[in-house]
Amino acid sequence: MEAALAACPGVSAAVAAVRDGATGARLVGYVVAPGLAPDEVTAAVARRLPAAMVPFVVVLDALPLTPSGKLDRAALPEPVFAAAAGYRAPETEEERAMVALFESVLEAEGVGLDDSFFELGGDSLSLMRLVDRVDVDFGVRVPIVGLFESATPASVLASLSAAGGARAGVEVPVDDVRFAPATPDVVPSGHEVLVTGATGLLGGHLIRAVLEADPAARVRALVRARDEASGLERIRATMRGYGSWSDGYEDRITALPGDLAEPGLGVDAAVWDRVIEQVDAIIHCGARVNHVEPYPRLRAANVDSTRFLLELASRRPGTVFQFVSTISAAGAFEEIPDAGYTHSKWVAERVVELAAASGVPSTILRPGLLTGALDSGATNTDDAFWNLVRSIATVGAAPSELLDQTIEMTPVDRAAEAMVEVLRTGDEPLRTLEVGSGSRVSWREIVGALRRGGYPVEAVPGHVFLERQTAAFRDRPEVAGALARAILLIRAGLERETVGEGGGWTPTSAADGRIGLDGDRGPVGDAGLDVYVDYLVRIGFLPRVGKGAEV
C-alpha cells in the first residue's frame, strides 16, 4: 500500500497505518503531497490497488519525525472520516437501517444513501463486517460481486431486492478488442528483454530464467517505484524473498519505474523511445489480479497495458511478444468463468491475436496454479488458493465436496524456465501454449499435508464450512483479518454462473501445445506439499500449532 501511495504523481512520501476503533481496524494512508487534495490521491491510488485495499487518505505538509529523524508514528494525526458531498438522506425505515449499518461499521456520521463505502475508508476487513451485519439484520445474503462495483447504502439495498433473481448476461466488451500497429521507427541497438510484473512470484523467476539462460542477457523490468534505484531494490527484495535472486543480477537488471494502470504505463514517451531501441523481446507477465472486482476496474492494467506494449513492439519489427494469460481464459467468452479478471485476460488475448495478424510475433501462455519452487517452498500468499488453504487450517474444517477434486500444481521455477526456452523459438506468427506440470493433487492430499503439519482438519459439508468461517470471523478477532478475504472470495465464487454472451467472438488461438511438464522431474506430491506447509508456517502465514495430528 505504501508503494502504491508513493508511486502516485505528486506524492513525495507516504506511510500506511491501521487505526483501531470501536468496530475494528481501518486502513489509512498518510501522504506528503503539496497542492493535492485527498480525493485526488485517492483517485490515483485506486488505479493501483483493489477497491478493498484503497485506504482513507490524509494529506500532510510533512511526516512527523522523532528527534533522531525517524518516523514518529505515534504523532500521526487521527483521521476524521466524513461523508461525501451531495448528501441524500434516508427516508424509509429500511434505508435508515442500512445507513445506520454503514455508520456503525465505518465509525462515520452523516452517511448518505449514495456515499461510497470505500471512499469513506472501508477495506476488505470492514467490508466483511458489513456483509455479516447485513446478512444478520436483513435476513438476506448480500451479493458480494456487486459490492465491488458499487457499495453505497442505496446500491446494497437494491442488490438485496434483486437477490435470487436471474443475473444479467455479460457482453463482450467489443470496443476493447482493437489494435493498430505503429509505424516502424526504431534503429535497434540492443537485445534486452523487457519484463513486466517483476515483483511477482512468476516475474522474478522469469527474470532469473532469462539471465541464467544467456550469460550476456540483460533485463529491463517495469516496477512501481519512485526512481530506478528504489525500483531495483524492490526487485532485489522480492526476488530474494521468493528464492530467485543471485548475486551479480543487479548489474544486469535495469529497473523501469512505471505502472500498468497508467496511460503509457506511467513512463514518458521519450523513455520508451530509448527502451525499444534496446529491447527485442517483451514478456508481459504483470497484471492486476483480483477475482472479485469487475472488468472495468481491471481494464487499464490488464487490457490497455497489453495493447500499449504490443504497439511498442510493432515499432521495432521482429520484436517477439509473450503474453502471460490464464488457463481460465481458454474458450469462447460464454464458456469462461464469469469474473472480471478472467474477462480481462480473455479480451487481452484477442488483442494479442490482432497484433499477431498485423506482424508482431506473439505467444499466448496459459498457466494454471503456479506454486513455489520445491527447494524453498516460497510461494505467493496473495493467491486465492493459499488463502483458502489458510482458512481451512484456521477453522479446522474442509468442505467434504472438495476433497476428491484435483488441482494441477506447477512449481514456478519450472514454468518460468519453460517460458523462456520458447521465447525466441518458432516462426509462427501466433502460438498459444498451456503451461503446466501435468501432475495433479487432490484436496484430500492437501488436507493430509495440513494434518501432518499439526492441523486437525475434519471434513464437513460445504455450508457448514462457510458457517464455521463466518462464526470464527465474528468470535475470534485474532483471525478475522485472515478469514475476511477467503470468505469474500468463496461467497463471490458461489454467486457466479457462466452467463456471458459471446456472440461471434470465439478465440482463434486454441492451444498449440503444453510446456512445463514434469518430465523426469518429480511431481509436487506429498513431499512438495509438506515443503509448502512448512514455508507457510515459517513465515507466519499459517498459525503455529503443536505436533502433527493423526491423519
Side-chain angles (χ1 to χ4, degrees), residues 54-118:
V54 175
F56 183 84
V57 173
V58 177
V59 176
L60 304 174
D61 294 330
L63 295 178
L65 303 177
T66 64
S68 61
K70 295 182 179 180
L71 175 68
D72 187 354
R73 286 186 174 271
L76 290 169
E78 287 295 326
V80 178
F81 302 107
Y87 177 79
R88 184 162 71 98
E91 297 179 356
T92 68
E93 181 178 346
E94 191 175 56
E95 289 174 346
R96 285 190 288 271
M98 183 61 72
V99 164
L101 279 186
F102 270 61
E103 291 179 339
S104 174
V105 170
L106 293 170
E107 296 182 77
E109 296 180 354
V111 174
L113 285 173
D114 301 319
D115 293 335
S116 166
F117 181 82
F118 297 116

Short mmCIF file of all heavy atoms in Angstrom, two decimals, residues 54-118:
data_model
loop_
_atom_site.label_atom_id
_atom_site.label_comp_id
_atom_site.label_asym_id
_atom_site.label_seq_id
_atom_site.Cartn_x
_atom_site.Cartn_y
_atom_site.Cartn_z
N VAL A 54 -7.97 0.18 -0.94
CA VAL A 54 -7.75 1.63 -1.07
C VAL A 54 -7.93 2.26 0.31
O VAL A 54 -9.00 2.16 0.92
CB VAL A 54 -8.74 2.25 -2.07
CG1 VAL A 54 -8.59 3.77 -2.09
CG2 VAL A 54 -8.49 1.68 -3.46
N PRO A 55 -6.91 2.94 0.83
CA PRO A 55 -7.01 3.49 2.18
C PRO A 55 -7.73 4.83 2.20
O PRO A 55 -7.89 5.48 1.17
CB PRO A 55 -5.54 3.67 2.58
CG PRO A 55 -4.86 4.00 1.27
CD PRO A 55 -5.57 3.17 0.23
N PHE A 56 -8.13 5.22 3.38
CA PHE A 56 -8.60 6.58 3.60
C PHE A 56 -7.37 7.47 3.59
O PHE A 56 -6.41 7.22 4.31
CB PHE A 56 -9.33 6.68 4.94
CG PHE A 56 -9.90 8.04 5.21
CD1 PHE A 56 -11.14 8.40 4.70
CD2 PHE A 56 -9.21 8.97 5.97
CE1 PHE A 56 -11.68 9.65 4.95
CE2 PHE A 56 -9.73 10.22 6.22
CZ PHE A 56 -10.97 10.57 5.70
N VAL A 57 -7.37 8.53 2.77
CA VAL A 57 -6.16 9.33 2.55
C VAL A 57 -6.18 10.60 3.39
O VAL A 57 -7.19 11.32 3.42
CB VAL A 57 -6.00 9.68 1.06
CG1 VAL A 57 -4.84 10.67 0.85
CG2 VAL A 57 -5.75 8.41 0.24
N VAL A 58 -5.05 10.85 4.05
CA VAL A 58 -4.84 12.08 4.80
C VAL A 58 -3.61 12.77 4.20
O VAL A 58 -2.53 12.15 4.13
CB VAL A 58 -4.62 11.81 6.29
CG1 VAL A 58 -4.33 13.11 7.04
CG2 VAL A 58 -5.84 11.11 6.89
N VAL A 59 -3.75 14.01 3.75
CA VAL A 59 -2.63 14.76 3.17
C VAL A 59 -1.99 15.62 4.26
O VAL A 59 -2.68 16.37 4.96
CB VAL A 59 -3.10 15.64 2.00
CG1 VAL A 59 -1.93 16.48 1.47
CG2 VAL A 59 -3.67 14.77 0.88
N LEU A 60 -0.67 15.50 4.41
CA LEU A 60 0.08 16.26 5.41
C LEU A 60 1.09 17.16 4.73
O LEU A 60 1.53 16.89 3.59
CB LEU A 60 0.82 15.30 6.35
CG LEU A 60 -0.02 14.25 7.09
CD1 LEU A 60 0.90 13.31 7.87
CD2 LEU A 60 -1.02 14.91 8.02
N ASP A 61 1.52 18.20 5.43
CA ASP A 61 2.60 19.04 4.93
C ASP A 61 3.94 18.32 5.04
O ASP A 61 4.84 18.53 4.22
CB ASP A 61 2.66 20.36 5.72
CG ASP A 61 1.43 21.23 5.49
OD1 ASP A 61 0.86 21.14 4.39
OD2 ASP A 61 1.05 21.97 6.41
N ALA A 62 4.07 17.50 6.08
CA ALA A 62 5.29 16.72 6.29
C ALA A 62 4.96 15.58 7.24
O ALA A 62 4.02 15.68 8.05
CB ALA A 62 6.41 17.59 6.87
N LEU A 63 5.72 14.50 7.14
CA LEU A 63 5.54 13.39 8.07
C LEU A 63 6.19 13.76 9.41
O LEU A 63 7.28 14.34 9.43
CB LEU A 63 6.18 12.11 7.53
CG LEU A 63 5.55 11.53 6.25
CD1 LEU A 63 6.32 10.30 5.81
CD2 LEU A 63 4.08 11.18 6.48
N PRO A 64 5.57 13.43 10.53
CA PRO A 64 6.17 13.74 11.83
C PRO A 64 7.40 12.88 12.08
O PRO A 64 7.40 11.68 11.79
CB PRO A 64 5.04 13.42 12.81
CG PRO A 64 4.20 12.40 12.11
CD PRO A 64 4.25 12.77 10.66
N LEU A 65 8.45 13.48 12.61
CA LEU A 65 9.69 12.78 12.86
C LEU A 65 10.08 12.88 14.33
O LEU A 65 9.73 13.84 15.03
CB LEU A 65 10.82 13.37 12.00
CG LEU A 65 10.60 13.38 10.48
CD1 LEU A 65 11.78 14.07 9.79
CD2 LEU A 65 10.42 11.97 9.95
N THR A 66 10.81 11.89 14.80
CA THR A 66 11.37 11.92 16.14
C THR A 66 12.62 12.80 16.13
O THR A 66 13.13 13.15 15.06
CB THR A 66 11.74 10.51 16.60
OG1 THR A 66 12.79 10.01 15.75
CG2 THR A 66 10.54 9.57 16.50
N PRO A 67 13.17 13.16 17.29
CA PRO A 67 14.42 13.95 17.32
C PRO A 67 15.57 13.30 16.57
O PRO A 67 16.46 14.00 16.09
CB PRO A 67 14.71 14.07 18.82
CG PRO A 67 13.36 13.99 19.46
CD PRO A 67 12.58 13.01 18.64
N SER A 68 15.53 11.96 16.45
CA SER A 68 16.61 11.27 15.73
C SER A 68 16.36 11.21 14.24
O SER A 68 17.16 10.63 13.50
CB SER A 68 16.79 9.85 16.29
OG SER A 68 15.59 9.10 16.09
N GLY A 69 15.23 11.78 13.78
CA GLY A 69 14.95 11.82 12.35
C GLY A 69 14.15 10.65 11.83
O GLY A 69 13.94 10.54 10.62
N LYS A 70 13.67 9.76 12.69
CA LYS A 70 12.87 8.61 12.26
C LYS A 70 11.38 8.98 12.30
O LYS A 70 10.97 9.92 12.98
CB LYS A 70 13.14 7.41 13.16
CG LYS A 70 14.57 6.89 13.07
CD LYS A 70 14.75 5.66 13.94
CE LYS A 70 16.18 5.13 13.83
NZ LYS A 70 16.39 3.92 14.68
N LEU A 71 10.60 8.22 11.56
CA LEU A 71 9.16 8.46 11.52
C LEU A 71 8.56 8.30 12.92
O LEU A 71 8.79 7.29 13.59
CB LEU A 71 8.48 7.51 10.55
CG LEU A 71 6.95 7.59 10.49
CD1 LEU A 71 6.50 8.91 9.91
CD2 LEU A 71 6.38 6.42 9.69
N ASP A 72 7.78 9.28 13.34
CA ASP A 72 7.09 9.21 14.63
C ASP A 72 5.64 8.81 14.38
O ASP A 72 4.75 9.65 14.19
CB ASP A 72 7.16 10.58 15.31
CG ASP A 72 6.61 10.54 16.74
OD1 ASP A 72 6.09 9.47 17.14
OD2 ASP A 72 6.71 11.55 17.43
N ARG A 73 5.38 7.50 14.36
CA ARG A 73 4.04 7.01 14.05
C ARG A 73 3.02 7.47 15.09
O ARG A 73 1.85 7.69 14.77
CB ARG A 73 4.05 5.49 13.95
CG ARG A 73 4.70 4.97 12.68
CD ARG A 73 4.57 3.47 12.53
NE ARG A 73 5.08 3.02 11.24
CZ ARG A 73 4.35 2.93 10.14
NH1 ARG A 73 3.06 3.26 10.16
NH2 ARG A 73 4.89 2.53 9.00
N ALA A 74 3.46 7.59 16.32
CA ALA A 74 2.53 8.00 17.37
C ALA A 74 2.01 9.41 17.15
O ALA A 74 0.95 9.79 17.66
CB ALA A 74 3.21 7.89 18.73
N ALA A 75 2.75 10.21 16.39
CA ALA A 75 2.36 11.60 16.15
C ALA A 75 1.51 11.77 14.90
O ALA A 75 1.09 12.89 14.58
CB ALA A 75 3.60 12.48 16.05
N LEU A 76 1.25 10.71 14.17
CA LEU A 76 0.38 10.81 13.01
C LEU A 76 -1.02 11.19 13.48
O LEU A 76 -1.56 10.58 14.41
CB LEU A 76 0.35 9.49 12.24
CG LEU A 76 1.62 9.10 11.50
CD1 LEU A 76 1.54 7.65 11.02
CD2 LEU A 76 1.88 10.03 10.33
N PRO A 77 -1.65 12.17 12.86
CA PRO A 77 -2.96 12.63 13.34
C PRO A 77 -4.05 11.60 13.13
O PRO A 77 -3.99 10.77 12.22
CB PRO A 77 -3.22 13.88 12.51
CG PRO A 77 -2.43 13.67 11.25
CD PRO A 77 -1.20 12.93 11.67
N GLU A 78 -5.05 11.65 13.99
CA GLU A 78 -6.20 10.77 13.84
C GLU A 78 -7.02 11.23 12.64
O GLU A 78 -7.31 12.43 12.51
CB GLU A 78 -7.06 10.79 15.10
CG GLU A 78 -6.46 10.06 16.28
CD GLU A 78 -6.34 8.56 16.02
OE1 GLU A 78 -7.21 8.01 15.31
OE2 GLU A 78 -5.37 7.96 16.51
N PRO A 79 -7.40 10.33 11.77
CA PRO A 79 -8.21 10.74 10.60
C PRO A 79 -9.63 11.08 11.02
O PRO A 79 -10.17 10.54 11.99
CB PRO A 79 -8.18 9.49 9.71
CG PRO A 79 -7.97 8.36 10.66
CD PRO A 79 -7.10 8.89 11.76
N VAL A 80 -10.23 11.99 10.29
CA VAL A 80 -11.62 12.36 10.50
C VAL A 80 -12.42 11.87 9.31
O VAL A 80 -12.31 12.40 8.20
CB VAL A 80 -11.79 13.89 10.66
CG1 VAL A 80 -13.26 14.24 10.84
CG2 VAL A 80 -10.97 14.39 11.84
N PHE A 81 -13.18 10.82 9.52
CA PHE A 81 -13.94 10.24 8.43
C PHE A 81 -15.22 11.03 8.23
O PHE A 81 -15.99 11.24 9.18
CB PHE A 81 -14.28 8.77 8.73
CG PHE A 81 -13.07 7.93 8.96
CD1 PHE A 81 -12.73 7.49 10.23
CD2 PHE A 81 -12.24 7.59 7.90
CE1 PHE A 81 -11.61 6.72 10.44
CE2 PHE A 81 -11.11 6.81 8.10
CZ PHE A 81 -10.80 6.38 9.38
N ALA A 82 -15.42 11.47 7.01
CA ALA A 82 -16.59 12.31 6.73
C ALA A 82 -17.32 11.77 5.52
O ALA A 82 -16.73 11.14 4.64
CB ALA A 82 -16.17 13.75 6.47
N ALA A 83 -18.58 11.99 5.48
CA ALA A 83 -19.39 11.54 4.34
C ALA A 83 -19.10 12.40 3.12
O ALA A 83 -18.64 13.53 3.23
CB ALA A 83 -20.87 11.60 4.68
N ALA A 84 -19.41 11.87 1.95
CA ALA A 84 -19.14 12.57 0.70
C ALA A 84 -20.13 13.71 0.50
O ALA A 84 -21.19 13.77 1.11
CB ALA A 84 -19.22 11.60 -0.47
N ALA A 85 -19.74 14.63 -0.41
CA ALA A 85 -20.64 15.73 -0.75
C ALA A 85 -21.83 15.18 -1.53
O ALA A 85 -21.81 14.07 -2.04
CB ALA A 85 -19.89 16.77 -1.57
N GLY A 86 -22.87 15.98 -1.66
CA GLY A 86 -24.06 15.53 -2.37
C GLY A 86 -24.90 14.60 -1.51
O GLY A 86 -25.38 13.58 -1.98
N TYR A 87 -25.08 14.97 -0.27
CA TYR A 87 -25.76 14.12 0.69
C TYR A 87 -27.22 13.87 0.29
O TYR A 87 -27.96 14.79 -0.04
CB TYR A 87 -25.70 14.78 2.07
CG TYR A 87 -26.44 14.04 3.16
CD1 TYR A 87 -25.87 12.92 3.76
CD2 TYR A 87 -27.70 14.46 3.57
CE1 TYR A 87 -26.55 12.24 4.76
CE2 TYR A 87 -28.38 13.79 4.57
CZ TYR A 87 -27.81 12.68 5.17
OH TYR A 87 -28.46 12.00 6.15
N ARG A 88 -27.62 12.58 0.33
CA ARG A 88 -29.03 12.21 0.12
C ARG A 88 -29.49 11.43 1.34
O ARG A 88 -28.96 10.36 1.63
CB ARG A 88 -29.20 11.39 -1.16
CG ARG A 88 -30.66 11.05 -1.47
CD ARG A 88 -30.83 10.64 -2.92
NE ARG A 88 -30.27 9.35 -3.24
CZ ARG A 88 -30.98 8.21 -3.30
NH1 ARG A 88 -32.28 8.21 -3.04
NH2 ARG A 88 -30.38 7.08 -3.63
N ALA A 89 -30.42 11.99 2.06
CA ALA A 89 -30.83 11.42 3.34
C ALA A 89 -31.71 10.18 3.14
O ALA A 89 -32.47 10.09 2.17
CB ALA A 89 -31.60 12.47 4.14
N PRO A 90 -31.61 9.22 4.06
CA PRO A 90 -32.52 8.07 4.01
C PRO A 90 -33.93 8.50 4.39
O PRO A 90 -34.11 9.40 5.23
CB PRO A 90 -31.92 7.13 5.07
CG PRO A 90 -31.20 8.02 6.03
CD PRO A 90 -30.67 9.14 5.19
N GLU A 91 -34.92 7.86 3.79
CA GLU A 91 -36.30 8.24 4.04
C GLU A 91 -37.11 7.10 4.64
O GLU A 91 -37.90 7.31 5.56
CB GLU A 91 -36.96 8.73 2.74
CG GLU A 91 -36.30 9.99 2.16
CD GLU A 91 -36.97 10.43 0.88
OE1 GLU A 91 -37.88 9.73 0.39
OE2 GLU A 91 -36.57 11.49 0.33
N THR A 92 -36.92 5.90 4.13
CA THR A 92 -37.70 4.77 4.63
C THR A 92 -36.99 4.13 5.82
O THR A 92 -35.80 4.36 6.08
CB THR A 92 -37.90 3.72 3.54
OG1 THR A 92 -36.63 3.11 3.25
CG2 THR A 92 -38.45 4.34 2.27
N GLU A 93 -37.72 3.29 6.54
CA GLU A 93 -37.13 2.58 7.68
C GLU A 93 -35.98 1.68 7.23
O GLU A 93 -34.95 1.60 7.90
CB GLU A 93 -38.22 1.76 8.38
CG GLU A 93 -37.70 1.00 9.60
CD GLU A 93 -38.80 0.22 10.31
OE1 GLU A 93 -40.00 0.48 10.02
OE2 GLU A 93 -38.47 -0.64 11.13
N GLU A 94 -36.16 1.04 6.07
CA GLU A 94 -35.12 0.15 5.54
C GLU A 94 -33.87 0.95 5.19
O GLU A 94 -32.74 0.54 5.46
CB GLU A 94 -35.66 -0.58 4.31
CG GLU A 94 -34.77 -1.71 3.83
CD GLU A 94 -35.42 -2.46 2.68
OE1 GLU A 94 -35.75 -1.80 1.67
OE2 GLU A 94 -35.60 -3.69 2.78
N GLU A 95 -34.04 2.13 4.57
CA GLU A 95 -32.90 2.96 4.22
C GLU A 95 -32.17 3.44 5.46
O GLU A 95 -30.94 3.47 5.51
CB GLU A 95 -33.37 4.14 3.37
CG GLU A 95 -33.80 3.76 1.97
CD GLU A 95 -34.40 4.93 1.20
OE1 GLU A 95 -34.72 5.96 1.84
OE2 GLU A 95 -34.56 4.82 -0.03
N ARG A 96 -32.93 3.84 6.49
CA ARG A 96 -32.30 4.30 7.73
C ARG A 96 -31.52 3.18 8.39
O ARG A 96 -30.44 3.39 8.95
CB ARG A 96 -33.37 4.87 8.67
CG ARG A 96 -33.87 6.26 8.24
CD ARG A 96 -34.73 6.87 9.33
NE ARG A 96 -36.02 6.20 9.44
CZ ARG A 96 -37.10 6.55 8.75
NH1 ARG A 96 -37.05 7.56 7.89
NH2 ARG A 96 -38.24 5.89 8.91
N ALA A 97 -32.05 1.95 8.32
CA ALA A 97 -31.35 0.82 8.93
C ALA A 97 -30.04 0.53 8.20
O ALA A 97 -29.01 0.25 8.84
CB ALA A 97 -32.25 -0.42 8.91
N MET A 98 -30.06 0.62 6.87
CA MET A 98 -28.84 0.35 6.11
C MET A 98 -27.81 1.45 6.35
O MET A 98 -26.60 1.17 6.53
CB MET A 98 -29.15 0.23 4.62
CG MET A 98 -27.93 -0.12 3.75
SD MET A 98 -27.20 -1.72 4.18
CE MET A 98 -28.47 -2.84 3.53
N VAL A 99 -28.23 2.70 6.37
CA VAL A 99 -27.31 3.80 6.64
C VAL A 99 -26.70 3.64 8.03
O VAL A 99 -25.51 3.87 8.24
CB VAL A 99 -28.04 5.15 6.51
CG1 VAL A 99 -27.23 6.27 7.15
CG2 VAL A 99 -28.29 5.47 5.04
N ALA A 100 -27.51 3.21 9.00
CA ALA A 100 -27.00 3.01 10.36
C ALA A 100 -25.93 1.92 10.39
O ALA A 100 -24.95 2.03 11.13
CB ALA A 100 -28.16 2.64 11.29
N LEU A 101 -26.10 0.88 9.58
CA LEU A 101 -25.07 -0.17 9.50
C LEU A 101 -23.76 0.40 8.95
O LEU A 101 -22.68 0.12 9.47
CB LEU A 101 -25.55 -1.32 8.61
CG LEU A 101 -26.48 -2.35 9.23
CD1 LEU A 101 -26.72 -3.49 8.24
CD2 LEU A 101 -25.91 -2.90 10.52
N PHE A 102 -23.85 1.19 7.87
CA PHE A 102 -22.66 1.81 7.30
C PHE A 102 -21.96 2.66 8.35
O PHE A 102 -20.74 2.60 8.53
CB PHE A 102 -23.04 2.67 6.09
CG PHE A 102 -23.02 1.96 4.77
CD1 PHE A 102 -23.85 0.88 4.54
CD2 PHE A 102 -22.16 2.36 3.76
CE1 PHE A 102 -23.84 0.21 3.33
CE2 PHE A 102 -22.14 1.71 2.53
CZ PHE A 102 -22.97 0.63 2.32
N GLU A 103 -22.73 3.48 9.06
CA GLU A 103 -22.14 4.37 10.05
C GLU A 103 -21.49 3.59 11.18
O GLU A 103 -20.42 3.96 11.69
CB GLU A 103 -23.21 5.32 10.58
CG GLU A 103 -23.69 6.33 9.56
CD GLU A 103 -24.77 7.24 10.09
OE1 GLU A 103 -25.44 6.87 11.09
OE2 GLU A 103 -24.97 8.34 9.51
N SER A 104 -22.13 2.49 11.59
CA SER A 104 -21.58 1.69 12.68
C SER A 104 -20.28 1.01 12.28
O SER A 104 -19.29 1.05 13.00
CB SER A 104 -22.61 0.63 13.11
OG SER A 104 -22.07 -0.25 14.06
N VAL A 105 -20.27 0.39 11.10
CA VAL A 105 -19.08 -0.34 10.65
C VAL A 105 -17.92 0.61 10.36
O VAL A 105 -16.76 0.33 10.66
CB VAL A 105 -19.42 -1.19 9.40
CG1 VAL A 105 -18.14 -1.76 8.77
CG2 VAL A 105 -20.36 -2.33 9.78
N LEU A 106 -18.25 1.78 9.79
CA LEU A 106 -17.21 2.73 9.38
C LEU A 106 -16.88 3.77 10.44
O LEU A 106 -15.96 4.58 10.24
CB LEU A 106 -17.66 3.46 8.10
CG LEU A 106 -17.77 2.59 6.84
CD1 LEU A 106 -18.44 3.39 5.72
CD2 LEU A 106 -16.39 2.13 6.39
N GLU A 107 -17.64 3.75 11.54
CA GLU A 107 -17.45 4.77 12.57
C GLU A 107 -17.56 6.18 11.96
O GLU A 107 -16.74 7.07 12.22
CB GLU A 107 -16.09 4.63 13.26
CG GLU A 107 -15.91 3.34 14.03
CD GLU A 107 -14.57 3.30 14.73
OE1 GLU A 107 -14.42 3.95 15.78
OE2 GLU A 107 -13.68 2.63 14.20
N ALA A 108 -18.55 6.37 11.14
CA ALA A 108 -18.76 7.66 10.47
C ALA A 108 -20.15 8.19 10.82
O ALA A 108 -21.03 7.44 11.25
CB ALA A 108 -18.63 7.49 8.96
N GLU A 109 -20.32 9.47 10.64
CA GLU A 109 -21.61 10.11 10.89
C GLU A 109 -22.09 10.79 9.61
O GLU A 109 -21.29 11.20 8.77
CB GLU A 109 -21.50 11.13 12.02
CG GLU A 109 -21.14 10.53 13.37
CD GLU A 109 -21.06 11.59 14.46
OE1 GLU A 109 -21.18 12.80 14.11
OE2 GLU A 109 -20.86 11.23 15.63
N GLY A 110 -23.39 10.92 9.50
CA GLY A 110 -23.96 11.65 8.36
C GLY A 110 -23.79 10.96 7.03
O GLY A 110 -23.70 11.62 5.99
N VAL A 111 -23.75 9.62 7.03
CA VAL A 111 -23.63 8.88 5.78
C VAL A 111 -24.93 8.99 4.99
O VAL A 111 -26.03 8.82 5.55
CB VAL A 111 -23.29 7.40 6.04
CG1 VAL A 111 -23.31 6.60 4.74
CG2 VAL A 111 -21.93 7.28 6.72
N GLY A 112 -24.82 9.27 3.71
CA GLY A 112 -25.98 9.38 2.85
C GLY A 112 -26.19 8.12 2.03
O GLY A 112 -25.32 7.23 1.98
N LEU A 113 -27.31 8.05 1.35
CA LEU A 113 -27.65 6.87 0.57
C LEU A 113 -26.68 6.61 -0.57
O LEU A 113 -26.50 5.46 -1.00
CB LEU A 113 -29.07 7.00 0.01
CG LEU A 113 -30.21 6.79 1.01
CD1 LEU A 113 -31.54 7.13 0.35
CD2 LEU A 113 -30.22 5.36 1.54
N ASP A 114 -26.03 7.66 -1.07
CA ASP A 114 -25.15 7.50 -2.23
C ASP A 114 -23.67 7.58 -1.88
O ASP A 114 -22.82 7.71 -2.76
CB ASP A 114 -25.49 8.57 -3.27
CG ASP A 114 -26.93 8.49 -3.73
OD1 ASP A 114 -27.41 7.36 -3.94
OD2 ASP A 114 -27.57 9.54 -3.86
N ASP A 115 -23.34 7.52 -0.59
CA ASP A 115 -21.93 7.61 -0.17
C ASP A 115 -21.25 6.26 -0.31
O ASP A 115 -21.79 5.22 0.11
CB ASP A 115 -21.84 8.09 1.28
CG ASP A 115 -22.30 9.54 1.43
OD1 ASP A 115 -22.23 10.27 0.43
OD2 ASP A 115 -22.73 9.92 2.53
N SER A 116 -20.06 6.26 -0.90
CA SER A 116 -19.33 5.03 -1.18
C SER A 116 -18.67 4.48 0.07
O SER A 116 -17.98 5.21 0.81
CB SER A 116 -18.25 5.29 -2.25
OG SER A 116 -17.33 4.21 -2.31
N PHE A 117 -18.85 3.21 0.30
CA PHE A 117 -18.23 2.52 1.43
C PHE A 117 -16.72 2.67 1.41
O PHE A 117 -16.08 2.95 2.43
CB PHE A 117 -18.62 1.04 1.39
CG PHE A 117 -18.08 0.21 2.51
CD1 PHE A 117 -18.72 0.18 3.74
CD2 PHE A 117 -16.93 -0.54 2.34
CE1 PHE A 117 -18.22 -0.59 4.78
CE2 PHE A 117 -16.42 -1.32 3.38
CZ PHE A 117 -17.07 -1.34 4.60
N PHE A 118 -16.11 2.50 0.24
CA PHE A 118 -14.65 2.54 0.13
C PHE A 118 -14.12 3.96 0.25
O PHE A 118 -13.06 4.19 0.82
CB PHE A 118 -14.19 1.88 -1.16
CG PHE A 118 -14.55 0.41 -1.24
CD1 PHE A 118 -15.42 -0.05 -2.19
CD2 PHE A 118 -14.01 -0.48 -0.33
CE1 PHE A 118 -15.76 -1.40 -2.25
CE2 PHE A 118 -14.35 -1.83 -0.38
CZ PHE A 118 -15.23 -2.29 -1.34
#
